[in-house]
Amino acid sequence: MFSTSPGSDRPAPGNAAHVLGAEECRELLTTTTVGRVAFCRDGTPVLLPVNFRVVDDVIAFRTSPTSPLAVLAEHDGEVVFEVDHHDDVFRHGWSVIVSGRSAAASPAALATADLRSWQHGTDLAIAIVPERITGRRVAAR
């Protein structure tokens, strides 16, 4: 389902950053529960945080039917999802970006994932079906 962007997983000469493979990106997605969803609404870019779970290679989250995110239940455009981690003390981190399409998800299908939103009134389940996944790991030298 996922494909990686062109590139190597080896650090570039003189650079401590390297491209992550699709499997490592998938693994990193499961290590955190908060990410950001980017999409266009009425021609304007929107970027919003969500708490999420990965369920059968699909990124799933809940939202309110009145939230700006509710448009994603019937969205016909590309959606970008990003998660990251950084350690200021040891000066390293990673970022994973998933591009795909969003759609309404069956709440029953997500029940086993223990997907709970941090907000009240989150009756609308959204799924992002990945089409492409990329990632980078960076470390200070």
Side-chain angles (χ1 to χ4, degrees):
M1 175 184 291
F2 293 114
S3 65
T4 58
S5 64
S8 168
D9 62 356
R10 295 182 308 254
N15 188 346
H18 73 274
V19 175
L20 301 174
E23 283 303 315
E24 188 170 6
C25 288
R26 279 190 210 96
E27 190 175 309
L28 289 170
L29 280 171
T30 66
T31 66
T32 188
T33 59
V34 176
R36 285 157 293 286
V37 179
F39 59 99
C40 282
R41 182 177 181 190
D42 299 327
T44 302
V46 179
L47 178 67
L48 295 170
V50 296
N51 61 299
F52 74 99
R53 293 259 198 240
V54 177
V55 181
D56 298 327
D57 281 340
V58 171
I59 296 159
F61 61 93
R62 293 186 186 276
T63 191
S64 163
T66 61
S67 161
L69 290 164
V71 69
L72 296 180
E74 297 178 18
H75 195 256
D76 191 30
E78 189 170 31
V79 175
V80 177
F81 181 79
E82 190 267 348
V83 295
D84 57 46
H85 170 77
H86 68 278
D87 185 316
D88 289 335
V89 174
F90 294 105
R91 299 175 47 200
H92 63 85
W94 55 263
S95 174
V96 171
I97 298 175
V98 177
S99 299
R101 303 266 174 199
S102 64
S106 163
L110 300 179
T112 59
D114 192 30
L115 180 62
R116 297 181 193 152
S117 176
W118 292 356
Q119 292 183 321
H120 295 294
T122 54
D123 301 328
L124 183 58
I126 306 288
I128 298 174
V129 179
E131 295 173 351
R132 181 178 163 173
I133 183 170
T134 60
R136 288 181 3 135
R137 188 177 297 277
V138 179
R141 291 197 180 228

